[in-house]
Amino acid sequence: MSSTAFAAIVLAAGEGSRMQSAVPKILHEIAGRPMILHVLLALEPVQPAATVVVLGPGMDEVAQTVAPATVAVQSQPRGTGDAVKAARSALAPALAKIGDVVILFGDTPLLQSTTIARLLETRRNSGAAIVIGAMRPPDPGPYGRLVLGNDGGVERIVEARDADPQQAAIALCNGGIMAVAAEHLFDLVDRLGTSNAKREFYLTDIVGIARQRDLAVTYVELPAEEVLGVNTRAELAEAEALMQDRLRRRAMAAGATLVAPETVFFSADTKLGRDVVVEPNVVFGPGVSIADNVRIRAFSHLAGAIVAEGAIVGPYARLRPGAVLERDVHVGNFVEVKATRLGAGAKANHLSYLGDSDIGSQTNIGAGTITCNYDGFNKSRTVIGANAFIGSNTALVAPVTVGDGAYVATGSVITADVPADALSIARARQVDKPGRAAALRARFRGKKS
């Protein structure tokens, strides 16, 4: 048995009825990522030998989300202890190779890898059979209480529903996470009973059973916010706020300037380079990577976009998935970019839609330009070469190519390829009729009742 190898059991079989949602609770997102994935990604750096996620029947969507983690099914909702039992067969191949099992909950998205490592280290160094992740929440009301013995070890955990007034006054609460010596886990779980208010198999009762068998149980006190469980929409909002605060601080510590941090919203995977400036009211959806020395101006929304060094985005710009802005590109106010690459130094400063396009370096896109990428049936691409000029209020009807150095006149509707260095004018010729304005006015006035 390895002294350092461990396995993880993630309990995620709860229906989450208090969320009032058709979506399984653990698939609700925090910072653009399902809660359950936050937990699984927190496990990755500490490298479990095996991970088993315990689900309820019919949770196929969750099973797909957590893949390639192994899934076990708890056939009936009979408590957390029974959920751990459900993981036994899935965990069996790893049991001979591991020293510890960490038990987590799928609705704790703020849990960090360092905390899991700390719990494991305490279990190994203390020699205790069980180490509990404990906390002191501002409102201990709904949480199980840790009852300590004279030696400072944990004698038992009393669930809130079963606590007497003296026990309810205890401030030290169960945070849900625990590390258990693998050699003892299933023997302890097999001894669980249902003598409690809910008539369920409480996992926390293994603490009292361990003490009866003269096995040591201790705890590690953790920040309460890190083991916050999400059971309601209000708690979902609270967890989102805590996660956003964490992500903002992380971005600033890494060298980004957030002009008004409380107004900037990140996804969990947002990447910002050094000396990036993010102005107020900017939202980063999933899949955004920003290089050094970029400025994101106010009220911009980015998702699935890659922005190279020196670019300027916004204000009021929208970068959708597949947007790639190369070095020193400018995308200005009310410009939407989707599945489009803008070459180095290209500019689209205002009021344009650029979809399914390739735009060459140093090309200027005039205000009101639209790449007409969809004909009602198919999407097609627009290709614009380097050093081209696209005049304001131009419609480029894809598929179409504009060559290097071409000049497209203002107000054109381009339906055929434009050769390199050509001037293309695709609009009706202006016709002036001298004196006719006065005649029109006279006619219109005569029609008034």
Side-chain angles (χ1 to χ4, degrees), residues 316-321 323 331-340 342 348-359 365-375 378-382 384 390 393-398:
Y316 294 97
R318 185 181 182 195
L319 303 187
R320 292 171 57 193
V331 169
N333 50 287
F334 303 105
V335 174
E336 181 177 347
V337 181
K338 190 271 293 186
T340 290
L342 281 85
N349 279 325
H350 24 242
L351 302 165
S352 294
Y353 170 69
L354 306 174
D356 299 288
S357 305
D358 291 285
I359 298 170
I365 305 295
T369 295
I370 297 173
T371 58
C372 305
N373 57 334
Y374 184 54
D375 62 8
N378 301 296
K379 288 190 176 180
S380 301
R381 295 192 69 81
T382 296
I384 303 173
I390 308 299
N393 203 34
T394 293
L396 299 151
V397 183

Side-chain angles (χ1 to χ4, degrees), residues 44-404:
E44 283 189 1
V46 287
Q47 299 180 319
T51 300
V52 178
V53 180
V54 181
L55 304 177
M59 298 179 72
D60 296 339
E61 186 180 359
V62 180
Q64 293 172 8
T65 300
V66 303
T70 301
V71 168
V73 177
Q74 183 185 18
S75 58
Q76 297 179 11
R78 298 190 297 174
T80 51
D82 182 68
V84 171
K85 286 184 184 180
R88 188 199 313 252
S89 60
L91 208 57
L95 282 176
K97 307 172 186 177
I98 61 175
D100 301 276
V101 178
V102 172
I103 302 170
L104 314 172
F105 285 83
D107 64 353
T108 55
L110 295 162
L111 184 66
Q112 299 191 83
S113 304
T114 51
T115 295
I116 300 171
R118 182 181 169 201
L119 202 71
L120 284 165
E121 183 180 11
T122 302
R123 218 295 303 162
R124 294 159 184 162
N125 293 342
S126 68
I130 304 171
V131 177
I132 307 295
M135 62 175 177
R136 297 181 188 271
D139 176 16
Y143 299 100
R145 307 305 203 274
L146 271 62
V147 179
L148 305 183
N150 293 330
D151 61 355
V154 183
E155 290 291 329
R156 64 187 183 278
I157 298 176
V158 180
E159 296 296 335
R161 293 188 181 204
D162 302 300
D164 61 33
Q166 184 177 0
Q167 293 164 339
I170 297 173
L172 189 65
C173 297
N174 176 31
I177 178 175
M178 65 172 66
V180 185
E183 62 183 313
H184 297 304
L185 175 61
F186 289 108
D187 178 57
L188 294 171
V189 169
D190 285 340
R191 297 170 186 267
L192 289 171
T194 59
S195 299
N196 51 64
K198 295 181 72 174
R199 313 303 297 174
E200 291 182 349
F201 295 97
Y202 289 164
L203 177 62
T204 49
D205 286 346
I206 67 172
V207 172
I209 296 170
R211 296 297 291 134
Q212 291 169 9
R213 302 183 64 207
D214 294 324
L215 296 173
V217 181
T218 187
Y219 69 93
V220 174
E221 192 166 334
L222 308 175
E225 70 175 46
E226 197 170 324
V227 287
L228 173 72
V230 176
N231 296 294
T232 65
R233 302 278 185 163
E235 290 170 349
L236 184 72
E238 181 182 355
E240 180 72 42
L242 291 167
M243 179 65 79
Q244 289 299 330
D245 184 65
R246 178 187 293 178
L247 295 172
R248 291 162 188 154
R249 292 178 181 277
R250 185 180 300 170
M252 291 186 286
T257 294
L258 308 185
V259 176
E262 70 281 2
T263 71
V264 176
F265 289 84
F266 290 104
S267 285
D269 63 351
T270 303
K271 297 176 182 177
L272 298 184
R274 294 179 63 186
D275 296 313
V276 170
V277 177
V278 183
E279 295 182 6
N281 298 294
V282 172
V283 176
F284 294 92
V288 175
S289 180
I290 308 293
D292 296 346
N293 299 300
V294 170
R295 190 173 195 99
I296 311 295
R297 289 180 168 153
F299 293 97
S300 294
H301 188 288
L302 299 80
I306 298 172
V307 181
E309 185 172 357
I312 299 174
V313 178
Y316 294 97
R318 185 181 182 195
L319 303 187
R320 292 171 57 193
V324 177
L325 277 54
E326 296 185 357
R327 189 182 182 97
D328 298 324
V329 165
H330 291 186
V331 169
N333 50 287
F334 303 105
V335 174
E336 181 177 347
V337 181
K338 190 271 293 186
T340 290
R341 179 192 64 86
L342 281 85
K347 292 180 174 61
N349 279 325
H350 24 242
L351 302 165
S352 294
Y353 170 69
L354 306 174
D356 299 288
S357 305
D358 291 285
I359 298 170
S361 61
Q362 303 300 323
T363 285
N364 186 85
I365 305 295
T369 295
I370 297 173
T371 58
C372 305
N373 57 334
Y374 184 54
D375 62 8
F377 299 94
N378 301 296
K379 288 190 176 180
S380 301
R381 295 192 69 81
T382 296
V383 178
I384 303 173
N387 297 293
F389 181 91
I390 308 299
S392 297
N393 203 34
T394 293
L396 299 151
V397 183
V400 70
T401 297
V402 177
D404 293 346

